[in-house]
Amino acid sequence: MNSVEGLMTQIQGISSTASDVLMLQNLLKQANDSLHAESTRLLPFLDQLDPSKHSLVISVCKRFKDQLVLLGEPLRGFALMLTAIRKFQSSTEHLTPLHPEFLLLCLLAKSYKTGHSILEEDIFEVDKPKDLFLYCYYRGMICIGQKHFQKALELLHNVVTAPMFAVNAIAVEAYKKYISVSLILHGQFSTSLPKYSSAAAQRNLRSLCQPLYFDMENSYSNGKIGDLETYVQSNKEIFEHVNNNLGLVKQVVSSLYKQNIQRLTQTYLTLSLQDIANTVQLSSVREAEMHVLQMVIPVSVNLRLRFRI
């Protein structure tokens, strides 16, 4: 067996675990001269190596991502991370450990449309459960940024109902956003998880999630804008600096205006914008008009409603 073939055999044999990295590094240093001497013969041997098993691509890309985050330049990592994902994937249905890292860069850059083709691919192959938790969580946050609340709710639902032996921090953070998005989308939230959720989630998720969000849901259910705004304002520091959810919570408050307007249109045949502003505690007719224009009003309601300015 010549040196190159022997080296390939050794690489394949010691690249299966993280503890092998140092041994592999020493081996390559020792083989440096022979690799240079036989460089013209190396290309055919590369086909024998699987990047997912016989390279440091995951570790290198994660360190690269960490540096970009520290520098505040997440955009610089998009092209490299996409290329690495494609090289690492066994198929387009394969979720790699680099998918969540890429989505995190998209979130930090607020570039929600980047990598759209990857985000739309169906996932059926997952190496580690944590990768799936993070993928659904980050992708849900991207959908929130695009105001695609129905898709965001589905992805967050996947996190909180996924099989787990113990509730993890990702599921807790997803649950907080799940409550908020449920209120925005449906105007209500069910505190009971589906029966197919893990026992750990059903038993512990609510208690591990701050009562802050359940109290917010109670204020929302009362339909009183003033009470909800007061509650959010009094807990602003926690929403903003502890949970990093203040922007989403503000959208919850805005959605209550829309919910109250919808209730009014179901009760009264004719309303002026001034009537709406007064009833739902808006500061001006202009603000009432803005909320109404942003709403998607069902045709059956729209036909009954006439505005007098």
Side-chain angles (χ1 to χ4, degrees):
M1 182 181 293
N2 63 40
S3 59
V4 177
E5 291 171 332
L7 180 61
M8 292 300 111
T9 301
Q10 288 179 289
I11 290 174
Q12 291 170 340
I14 63 172
S15 299
S16 57
T17 66
S19 61
D20 292 332
V21 171
L22 182 58
M23 188 183 301
L24 178 60
Q25 182 182 20
N26 292 332
L27 175 65
L28 293 174
K29 283 183 178 180
Q30 294 170 9
N32 183 61
D33 292 340
S34 61
L35 287 173
H36 279 285
E38 302 187 60
S39 59
T40 57
R41 299 180 56 232
L42 293 179
L43 191 58
F45 288 96
L46 294 179
D47 293 335
Q48 300 177 24
L49 301 178
D50 181 350
S52 66
K53 299 178 180 178
H54 309 127
S55 78
L56 302 179
V57 61
I58 296 297
S59 298
V60 169
C61 287
K62 287 187 176 182
R63 292 289 293 272
F64 178 64
K65 180 268 299 180
D66 291 340
Q67 290 302 310
L68 291 178
V69 172
L70 287 175
L71 293 171
E73 298 185 20
L75 278 169
R76 292 176 59 184
F78 287 175
L80 184 143
M81 200 67 73
L82 283 171
T83 300
I85 287 173
R86 289 308 188 198
K87 288 185 176 295
F88 192 74
Q89 279 184 308
S90 57
S91 72
T92 57
E93 297 176 348
H94 176 206
L95 179 68
T96 74
L98 294 180
H99 276 80
E101 307 292 339
F102 170 67
L103 294 183
L104 179 57
L105 291 179
C106 293
L107 281 167
L108 294 175
K110 295 184 179 180
S111 181
Y112 303 133
K113 294 183 178 181
T114 304
H116 181 75
S117 59
I118 283 183
L119 294 179
E120 292 303 309
E121 292 170 352
D122 293 325
I123 298 297
F124 295 104
E125 180 185 349
V126 180
D127 294 333
K128 298 179 181 179
K130 182 181 178 181
D131 296 337
L132 183 61
F133 276 95
L134 284 172
Y135 173 78
C136 291
Y137 178 63
Y138 288 150
R139 190 178 172 191
M141 291 176 66
I142 286 175
C143 288
I144 290 172
Q146 295 176 304
K147 297 189 183 300
H148 296 164
F149 293 117
Q150 182 60 56
K151 186 63 177 179
L153 192 64
E154 293 173 8
L155 290 161
L156 296 171
H157 179 86
N158 289 342
V159 178
V160 300
T161 62
M164 62 183 87
F165 294 107
V167 174
N168 56 65
I170 305 169
V172 173
E173 293 306 310
Y175 195 51
K176 296 173 184 177
K177 290 180 172 61
Y178 183 69
I179 295 171
S180 300
V181 175
S182 295
L183 294 175
I184 293 171
L185 193 61
H186 300 303
Q188 58 185 357
F189 170 73
S190 174
T191 57
S192 60
L193 291 173
K195 292 182 179 180
Y196 53 79
S197 305
S198 68
Q202 296 192 51
R203 186 171 56 249
N204 300 317
L205 197 53
R206 180 183 174 92
S207 61
L208 290 173
C209 185
Q210 293 170 320
L212 191 70
Y213 290 85
F214 298 103
D215 292 341
M216 179 181 71
E217 191 272 335
N218 289 333
S219 295
Y220 191 102
S221 299
N222 292 334
K224 297 180 179 179
I225 288 288
D227 292 349
L228 180 60
E229 288 183 328
T230 299
Y231 180 78
V232 170
Q233 185 61 34
S234 63
N235 293 281
K236 179 181 177 181
E237 291 297 314
I238 301 177
F239 281 126
E240 183 173 14
H241 299 297
V242 177
N243 296 163
N244 196 28
N245 278 339
L246 183 60
L248 182 59
V249 168
K250 286 182 176 179
Q251 293 183 71
V252 172
V253 175
S254 179
S255 73
L256 184 54
Y257 284 108
K258 296 179 177 64
Q259 289 287 336
N260 287 346
I261 291 172
Q262 285 180 332
R263 294 189 187 103
L264 283 174
T265 61
Q266 292 169 1
T267 304
Y268 300 100
L269 292 176
T270 302
L271 285 173
S272 69
L273 290 173
Q274 185 64 63
D275 290 335
I276 292 176
N278 293 339
T279 306
V280 302
Q281 302 175 37
L282 291 166
S283 59
S284 66
V285 169
R286 179 67 177 172
E287 192 174 354
E289 183 181 21
M290 178 191 69
H291 280 286
V292 171
L293 291 175
Q294 290 175 348
M295 293 170 60
V296 180
I297 305 176
V299 175
S300 59
V301 174
N302 194 35
L303 290 174
R304 299 198 313 266
L305 185 63
R306 291 185 294 114
F307 294 110
R308 294 181 288 105
I309 301 180

